[in-house]
Amino acid sequence: MLRSLRQLAIRILKTPEAEEKCRLTREAVEAYRSGKIIQIVGNNEEELPEKPARAIEEIRAGTIKKSSGVKAYLHSVTHAECCAIDCFWDLLARFGPQVEDALGSERARLFADDVLSIALEESTHFERLSTRLLEGYGTKYGDLEAHDTLAESMLATNDDILARLVIVHLVHEARGLDVFDMGRKRLVGAGDTSTAKVLEANYAQEIGHVKAMHSWFVTLAEHRGLDPRDTFAFHIRDPARWRAQGLKPPFNHQARAAAGLDQDWYLPLTLVQGQEGGKKSKKKKEESIRN
């Protein structure tokens, strides 16, 4: 019998099928909110997997064949939403005990509340997009190639919650805010207003996701006696965490501000010269800028 949120999280992370992850996510959130599950961490729990199980094979982002098709774009976004479900369950399972040790049980429960709410929303995002992928393009999720970008970043930050919050949630998720309008226009231009509306609904919630994770990052950094903005920059400039060592414009300033990311956090980390007042990267152009 599953007696803790961490046990539920491990079960979901070990489940390869995306649709089943969504179903189990709904069950887990309902069990927690109804009081059937009250513990964040239980006793004698099974080992947390190093990386989530996936029913589809992931390959390095740079090796995926380039495609200008809307179907390929939509499949990529759908895959990102599937990965996001795992990201939040892994965040809870891997770092929930640390949050409880650092901040106490009451604030750890608030952390769990945020993470579970977002995991549930991410599962809804995946289901909306996978439905549109099938109905609008006759393609099932998993029929096309899928990138390993988020999986790689999770592995690179398995040892530190601050690094995880920066790279996975304040870089990858914030990047999703940056490219939203481009994706929406792409769908509208292709005549797919139905999927564009789904993307818009997801986007409104994604701002809240970044805001919540930014808030927890600031709280946890300050608890360690660290300056949050300096710590944010430190992890992005660490090639072991983030290969690009910087951030790629253009930026959605309005959405980032709504999520708590002021420009003085990210503009000094801009890679491309002449845009957004940033500095030119010292790395060669041939290197992959993966954000």
Side-chain angles (χ1 to χ4, degrees):
M1 181 179 180
L2 299 176
R3 298 182 180 275
S4 75
L5 281 178
R6 191 170 186 274
Q7 286 178 311
L8 289 169
I10 291 172
R11 180 184 178 188
I12 292 168
L13 291 167
K14 289 185 173 182
T15 298
E17 295 81 12
E19 294 77 8
E20 184 67 2
K21 287 181 189 288
C22 293
R23 187 187 70 79
L24 291 174
T25 293
R26 287 192 295 272
E27 286 188 358
V29 174
E30 190 279 330
Y32 176 69
R33 290 176 174 174
S34 66
K36 295 177 183 177
I37 297 290
I38 60 174
Q39 290 181 300
I40 295 177
V41 182
N43 298 319
N44 303 316
E45 294 182 346
E46 59 184 306
E47 186 175 351
L48 179 67
E50 184 180 34
K51 60 185 296 186
R54 298 268 164 75
I56 64 176
E57 182 182 0
E58 294 180 314
I59 61 177
R60 291 186 64 86
T63 64
I64 293 179
K65 296 177 182 178
K66 296 290 184 181
S67 174
S68 58
V70 174
K71 180 171 68 175
Y73 161 74
L74 182 55
H75 188 275
S76 177
V77 176
T78 304
H79 178 61
E81 296 291 5
C82 178
C83 294
I85 300 169
D86 285 326
C87 285
F88 282 99
W89 282 115
D90 188 86
L91 181 66
L92 179 66
R94 192 173 302 278
F95 300 111
Q98 295 181 26
V99 174
E100 188 167 16
D101 290 343
L103 303 179
S105 59
E106 184 175 342
R107 296 184 82 181
R109 189 159 293 280
L110 293 175
F111 175 75
D113 288 344
D114 279 348
V115 172
L116 263 65
S117 294
I118 296 172
L120 183 59
E121 289 180 351
E122 297 290 14
S123 69
T124 301
H125 295 181
F126 169 81
E127 289 175 326
R128 289 171 179 166
L129 290 172
S130 61
T131 297
R132 283 302 308 146
L133 187 64
L134 182 60
E135 291 179 350
Y137 301 90
T139 300
K140 293 181 180 179
Y141 170 64
D143 284 352
L144 304 181
E145 293 179 324
H147 58 79
D148 69 346
T149 308
L150 275 169
E152 182 182 82
S153 290
M154 289 173 69
L155 282 173
T157 57
N158 271 350
D159 63 325
D160 185 1
I161 188 172
L162 293 184
R164 170 65 64 85
L165 289 171
V166 170
I167 302 303
V168 172
H169 301 289
L170 303 184
V171 172
H172 281 296
E173 279 204 283
R175 181 63 177 163
L177 304 180
D178 296 335
V179 301
F180 156 73
D181 196 52
M182 185 186 309
R184 183 188 63 80
K185 289 178 179 177
R186 187 174 185 179
L187 290 166
V188 171
D192 188 358
T193 56
S194 295
T195 306
K197 290 178 180 178
V198 170
L199 213 62
E200 289 169 3
N202 292 355
Y203 167 75
Q205 292 183 325
E206 293 292 352
I207 294 174
H209 300 177
V210 177
K211 182 177 183 178
M213 294 302 101
H214 174 263
S215 178
W216 283 110
F217 170 73
V218 170
T219 296
L220 290 163
E222 290 178 344
H223 178 78
R224 292 189 193 179
L226 300 172
D227 179 88
R229 187 172 60 183
D230 290 346
T231 306
F232 176 78
F234 172 80
H235 287 299
I236 290 174
R237 288 177 172 141
D238 181 355
R241 305 290 192 191
W242 185 242
R243 191 176 302 170
Q245 297 179 263
L247 301 175
K248 183 179 179 181
F251 302 110
N252 184 337
H253 297 304
Q254 183 176 0
R256 283 173 173 262
L261 283 170
D262 295 332
Q263 293 186 26
D264 57 359
W265 278 59
Y266 57 88
L267 285 187
L269 301 168
T270 305
L271 285 171
V272 181
Q273 187 176 26
Q275 293 187 31
E276 309 295 341
K279 299 178 181 179
K280 185 176 180 180
S281 172
K282 294 181 180 180
K283 289 186 168 293
K284 296 179 180 179
K285 291 182 179 179
E286 290 78 15
E287 289 190 15
S288 175
I289 298 175
R290 302 182 57 210
N291 67 328

